[in-house]
Amino acid sequence: MQKLVSYTGEGDFSLGKSMFQNPIESGIFASLGHHAEVYSLPCKRSRINAPFVFNGEVYKKQKTTIEVLPDECLFEIFRRLDGNQERSSCASVSKRWLMLVSTIRKDEVSQVSAHKSNVNNINGHLSRSLEGKKATDIRLAAIAVGTASRGGLGKLSIRGSNVAHGVTNIGLKAIARGCPSLTSLSLWNLSSVSDEGLIEIANQCHQLEKLDLCKISGISNKSLIAIANNCPNLTELSIESCSNIGDEGLQAIGQSCPNLKSISLKNCPLLGDQGIASLLSSASCSLTKLKLHTLNVSDMTIAVIGHYGIAITDLALAGLCKVTEKGFWVMGHGQGLQKLRLLTITSCNGLTDIGIEAVGKGCPNLKQLSLHKCAVLSDNGLYSFAKSAVSLESLLLEECHRITQCGIFSMLINRDTKLRSLTFKNCLGFKDLSFKIPLSRCNTLKTLSVQNCPGFGNSSLMLFGQLCPELQHIELTGLHGITDNGFTPLIECCEAGLVKVNISGCINLTDNMVCEMSKVHGGTLEVLNLSGCRSVTDASMVAIASNCLLLNELDVSECGITDSGISALARAVQLNLNILAISGCRLISDKSLPFLLKMGGSLVGLNIQHCHGISSSSVGLLVDRLWNCDILS
């Protein structure tokens, strides 16, 4: 009897077991007799209105609620409700009810309820994202139940970090059962998720198209095989730092997912040549984007790409230490990369001059090439590549220290070149040497970006101006060797008119250069960044206000301008700035407040961070008055 009086709705009672250990206690309710001081009608079950005594112990009456029903009974009630909205309302009662409702599968909903809730017409247009401490099973269950009555969940992203109460297989199962319309799933850093949860997703979410897995050590090939067998519409697959996924899973994906278009594989130690080769050969007709990063693959994989990559348009290779010159040579001569448009190669020491030349010959339609940390590549290889890749329009070189101005200029004077954009980052091979000016010109180059290349100086800049008269976008950042003497000739040579200029961090440029640029290109200049040019003062602001009629973005952070400079900008009749940055300008004070308010009619962005001369009250007034402007203070 002790179990009956203290029963809370859990335990053995819900499993159909007897609640009495002593058979004698089971007959007590049959005839209360004089054992309880109550009166009851003989034809009804006894109602106990006072404490009753068994074996000398007093037992108080407990309030009876629906919570005493076992989970099995509540489950049957919930699945028979009229619709998703009713089930969602029940789920908001308690965590127990929420978790019970979240376990109901689509095929377990009663036929009458399914007809009323119209579960077959869920289109899955909703998106949800959970990060950090918010990523828990309870929230996933709430998402699964709540979105069912609002059109269905289509995209789900989970970025976990809550180890103690993070997402587990229980949460993924709730999503699988309640969100059959799921098309995109991203799981990052979930230590408690294993094959069990992802297999349930595969079994229930047959419309899945995009799958992103990162730092989930609990999943293995079993999950990928389940995805392959149940999700034939899969188009994008990304796997990163999943230590238990190997070749078998990739083979299954390649054989069963004919619509696969994008594959990204990074830092998976069990993935090798066999799995990737099988995947590429099976998906050769559909795969358009491929990224391989820090994998244990050899020349065989690169050769397979060159042969079977007939549909690939975007290829990225990074950290492939075992790939040699032979692999890139075979890839270029495989003649399978005829449709390749974008190629990115990072930290691959096997990319030599011979290898890059072969790639150029094997990719006749290549438009963009990005090379990062290719230590062996030199000017000879770059020149040979340029002669073969006649369709190249954009080239980016980062930390390629053996490439110098000679290799670059040899590309630019090639008559067949179509190069429109050229970018250098942290290239130490540049030396500011004088070159003989060639007769030919490069009329296709529109964009030049040189960032943190210490050897790039006035001579190199002047030569670019003479070779490339059609330049419109110039970015020169962190170049201490450039002065007015080098930049002014470039300004005079740009015949098309400069549109965007970023010379942040060029500390040796002065007002003279800015004034000259505003006079020559004021009719075309739209974006100007002078951040960190400490020698730029109010004189530049006056010139800009007078000549730059189309300017809409101006950054003069950490420059030597004062309130007078801001006043000059505000007085400009035709100047309508959208974005103004004066961060770190210590000489600007509250006196600039009326000028900033006057420009507020056109401003949508204002950066006044670290302007210590502007008081907090002035900042508050700006926020109140410039309601259409985003202010950083």
Side-chain angles (χ1 to χ4, degrees), residues 5 48 57 61 64 78 91 113 116 207 239 241 243 255 279 301 311 354 408 411 433 524 528 553 603 616:
V5 177
I48 303 172
E57 297 182 3
K61 171 190 171 184
T64 302
F78 293 152
S113 175
K116 291 184 178 181
Q207 301 180 36
I239 305 175
S241 301
S243 56
Q255 294 170 0
L279 175 66
T301 293
I354 296 176
I408 301 301
M411 289 181 58
L433 304 176
T524 58
L528 178 59
E553 294 185 22
L603 285 177
S616 58

Side-chain angles (χ1 to χ4, degrees), residues 68-108:
V68 302
L69 292 178
D71 290 350
E72 291 81 2
C73 293
L74 290 175
F75 179 87
E76 292 297 326
I77 294 174
F78 293 152
R79 79 181 188 91
R80 285 173 169 80
L81 293 177
D82 286 342
N84 290 324
Q85 188 64 48
E86 287 73 14
R87 279 188 288 273
S88 180
S89 299
C90 290
S92 64
V93 172
S94 65
K95 290 183 179 180
R96 180 192 176 202
W97 284 27
L98 171 62
M99 299 308 293
L100 279 174
V101 173
S102 68
T103 60
I104 302 175
R105 293 189 179 93
K106 177 182 177 181
D107 56 357
E108 292 175 334

Side-chain angles (χ1 to χ4, degrees), residues 567-582:
S567 174
L569 294 176
R571 291 196 306 268
V573 178
Q574 296 180 337
L575 183 62
N576 292 307
L577 287 176
N578 297 134
I579 298 176
L580 175 62
I582 54 176

Side-chain angles (χ1 to χ4, degrees), residues 299-312:
D299 293 337
M300 175 183 174
T301 293
I302 305 300
V304 171
I305 293 174
H307 183 75
Y308 287 103
I310 56 177
I312 294 178

Side-chain angles (χ1 to χ4, degrees), residues 524-569:
T524 58
L525 195 61
E526 297 178 3
V527 179
L528 178 59
N529 188 338
L530 303 173
S531 175
C533 297
R534 297 189 290 254
S535 299
V536 171
T537 65
D538 293 338
S540 295
M541 300 301 101
V542 174
I544 291 172
S546 303
N547 301 301
C548 299
L549 307 180
L550 301 180
L551 192 68
N552 54 60
E553 294 185 22
L554 176 62
D555 189 345
V556 288
S557 300
E558 299 182 4
C559 292
I561 63 174
T562 67
D563 297 324
S564 299
I566 303 299
S567 174
L569 294 176

Side-chain angles (χ1 to χ4, degrees), residues 205-237:
C205 305
H206 298 160
Q207 301 180 36
L208 193 66
E209 297 177 0
K210 300 179 181 180
L211 180 61
D212 180 13
L213 305 174
C214 179
K215 296 181 181 180
I216 307 180
S217 59
I219 61 174
S220 65
N221 291 325
K222 295 180 181 179
S223 295
L224 288 190
I225 294 173
I227 292 291
N229 293 334
N230 295 280
C231 305
N233 296 325
L234 191 70
T235 59
E236 296 184 17
L237 176 63

Side-chain angles (χ1 to χ4, degrees), residues 66 129 227 234 291 324 371 450 564 602:
I66 195 173
S129 178
I227 292 291
L234 191 70
K291 179 180 179 181
T324 66
L371 302 177
V450 184
S564 299
S602 61

